[in-house]
């Protein structure tokens, strides 16, 4: 058994069919969708997503997406629900019930319990006349007529479109809740975004004795050695108490050598330093430091305390976490 050009064509057709179905679903984003969003926004408890088989797998992903984007949610397997897991459902919850046919027996058997608890039910199926649609508070129609696989039997297009509608719900709710990147980071502390938005400058900055610090009266010839040794492409000029007075970079030195030529070695650091360099506190988030460097087209920031004393240096590489 091997895959030939026919496999490639089938794969391409599958993607085309699923993409077309998603585009067609746009026509069904209507007032029913708006009502579903309103029901979830008004929810005082959690969103319970339920479904059987492939619909269950899609439901689990939708629940996870909602939970990570500001809508408390979890997936409830109908089979487990019959054996005690209904205890996780409480007054104030909202149910999203998923079934392509809208006739799945295990799912339908749960509806009377949800109704007895007065939980709003958002049904998702391909049939507006299904029992699920008739017994839902609001029904989202996902009218996929043909699956993408060659036999037209296995859930492919229907699950893809259902997942996309779930994503559309999550995106709409994020906007309505004014959900921000910092909120997302709090829900993803182990991810790179969470680290970037929650990590502070003090966690990543260079500290003494690694800081290239020089006095304002140092000759530029000697300062070159300090810039090279510091490996940050700069030197910080401080007074005897550690207060920042200025900064010089390797670029400043090159420009001074080109301009002053023979007079270069007679100059002091104070003659070419940039006074009042950009600085930041160690409690600032690295995302803020990164934006500050980008906005000012610089590769490093000085980290100072409340008295203006140098306590560290953070460069563009240190904030790339």
């Amino acid at each position: 058994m091997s895959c030939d050009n026919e496999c490639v064509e089938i794969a391409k057709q599958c993607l085309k069919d699923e993409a077309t179905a998603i585009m067609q679903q746009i026509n069904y984003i209507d007032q029913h969708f708006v009502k579903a969003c309103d029901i979830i926004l008004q929810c005082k408890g959690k969103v319970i997503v339920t479904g059987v088989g492939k619909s269950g797998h899609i439901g689990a992903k939708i629940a996870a997406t909602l939970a990570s984007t500001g809508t408390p949610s979890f997936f409830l397997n109908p089979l487990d629900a019959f054996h005690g897991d209904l205890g996780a459902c409480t007054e104030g919850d909202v149910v999203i019930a998923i079934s392509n046919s809208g006739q799945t027996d295990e799912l339908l058997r749960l509806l009377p319990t949800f109704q007895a608890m007065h939980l709003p039910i958002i049904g998702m199926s391909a049939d507006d006349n299904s029992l699920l649609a008739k017994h839902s508070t609001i029904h989202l129609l996902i009218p996929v007529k043909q699956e993408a696989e060659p036999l037209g039997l296995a859930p492919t297009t229907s699950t893809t479109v259902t997942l996309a509608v779930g994503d559309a719900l999550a995106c709409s709710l994020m906007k309505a809740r004014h959900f921000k990147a910092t909120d997302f980071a709090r829900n993803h502390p182990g991810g790179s975004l969470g680290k970037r938005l929650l990590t502070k400058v003090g966690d990543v900055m260079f500290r003494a004795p690694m800081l290239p610090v020089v006095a304002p009266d140092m000759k530029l010839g000697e300062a070159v050695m300090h810039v090279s040794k510091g490996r940050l492409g700069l030197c910080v000029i401080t007074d005897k108490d550690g207060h920042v007075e200025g900064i010089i970079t390797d670029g400043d030195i090159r420009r001074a050598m080109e301009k002053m030529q023979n007079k270069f070695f007679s100059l002091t650091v104070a003659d070419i330093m940039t006074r009042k360099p950009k600085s930041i506190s160690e409690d600032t988030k690295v995302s803020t430091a990164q934006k500050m460097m980008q906005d000012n087209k610089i590769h490093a920031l000085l980290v100072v305390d409340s008295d203006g004393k140098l306590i560290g240096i953070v460069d563009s590489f240190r904030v790339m976490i």
Side-chain angles (χ1 to χ4, degrees):
M1 181 181 295
S2 63
C3 194
D4 54 19
N5 290 337
E6 185 179 10
C7 292
V8 174
E9 292 306 314
I10 290 174
K12 290 181 178 180
Q13 189 60 49
C14 174
L15 294 176
K16 289 178 182 178
D17 290 344
E18 295 196 354
T20 298
I22 289 177
M23 292 302 296
Q24 291 174 343
Q25 185 63 33
I26 292 175
N27 298 321
Y28 298 91
I29 303 299
D30 52 17
Q31 289 305 307
H32 289 83
F33 184 88
V34 174
K35 179 63 176 176
C37 288
D38 285 340
I39 289 173
I40 296 174
L41 284 171
Q42 294 167 17
C43 175
K44 303 298 184 181
K46 305 168 295 298
V47 174
I48 303 162
V49 187
T50 186
V52 179
K54 302 300 186 294
S55 293
H57 294 307
I58 296 303
K61 196 279 178 182
I62 290 174
T65 299
L66 289 172
S68 69
T69 54
T71 300
S73 178
F74 68 91
F75 176 73
L76 177 67
N77 187 314
L79 302 180
D80 294 330
F82 296 134
H83 298 280
D85 282 8
L86 271 172
C89 305
T90 58
E91 183 180 351
D93 291 343
V94 169
V95 175
I96 296 178
I98 305 171
S99 167
N100 184 45
S101 67
Q103 302 291 122
T104 305
D105 181 65
E106 297 91 339
L107 186 65
L108 295 177
R109 287 168 57 196
L110 280 178
L111 300 188
T113 302
F114 293 143
Q115 291 170 336
M117 297 176 68
H118 305 290
L119 305 186
I121 300 170
I122 300 170
M124 297 173 68
S125 84
D127 186 356
D128 255 341
N129 296 310
S130 66
L131 285 173
L132 175 60
K134 291 179 179 179
H135 291 279
S136 295
T137 308
I138 196 74
H139 180 246
L140 300 181
L141 181 62
I142 305 175
V144 173
K145 302 300 183 183
Q146 181 69 34
E147 301 291 358
E149 51 85 27
L151 298 179
L153 300 174
T156 47
T157 305
S158 59
T159 50
T160 298
V161 179
T162 301
L163 181 60
V165 172
D167 288 341
L169 275 172
C171 291
S172 299
L173 292 167
M174 287 174 69
K175 182 66 174 179
R177 295 184 193 280
H178 305 290
F179 193 81
K180 300 180 178 61
T182 50
D183 301 315
F184 187 86
R186 278 193 291 270
N187 293 340
H188 298 76
S192 60
L193 177 61
K195 291 178 182 178
R196 185 167 62 84
L197 291 176
L198 298 179
T199 301
K200 296 180 179 179
V201 167
D203 298 323
V204 299
M205 70 183 185
F206 293 99
R207 296 176 180 270
M210 301 174 63
L211 306 181
V213 178
V214 300
D217 58 354
M218 178 180 288
K219 295 294 185 181
L220 284 180
E222 185 180 355
V224 169
M225 302 300 294
H226 285 270
V227 171
S228 177
K229 185 178 179 181
R231 297 184 178 181
L232 292 175
L234 59 84
C235 268
V236 184
I237 298 87
T238 66
D239 63 18
K240 61 181 181 179
D241 295 320
H243 295 98
V244 174
E245 293 192 353
I247 187 175
I248 60 169
T249 67
D250 49 9
D252 294 329
I253 292 173
R254 287 195 301 271
R255 286 186 289 272
M257 291 180 69
E258 181 179 359
K259 181 178 179 180
M260 305 305 295
Q261 297 185 7
N262 293 338
K263 297 180 180 180
F264 174 81
F265 290 99
S266 65
L267 297 176
T268 65
V269 168
D271 292 326
I272 70 166
M273 71 180 183
T274 298
R275 300 178 186 276
K276 297 182 179 179
K278 299 296 181 182
S279 62
I280 202 166
S281 74
E282 64 177 327
D283 292 328
T284 306
K285 293 183 176 65
V286 294
S287 57
T288 301
Q290 187 177 50
K291 185 177 187 304
M292 190 172 174
M293 283 185 258
Q294 291 172 346
D295 290 346
N296 290 279
K297 295 181 173 57
I298 54 179
H299 77 277
L301 288 167
L302 306 186
V303 186
V304 299
D305 64 14
S306 57
D307 294 325
K309 292 183 179 180
L310 181 71
I311 58 175
I313 298 173
V314 61
D315 66 4
S316 56
F317 294 104
R318 285 275 167 153
V319 298
M320 292 174 60
I321 60 174

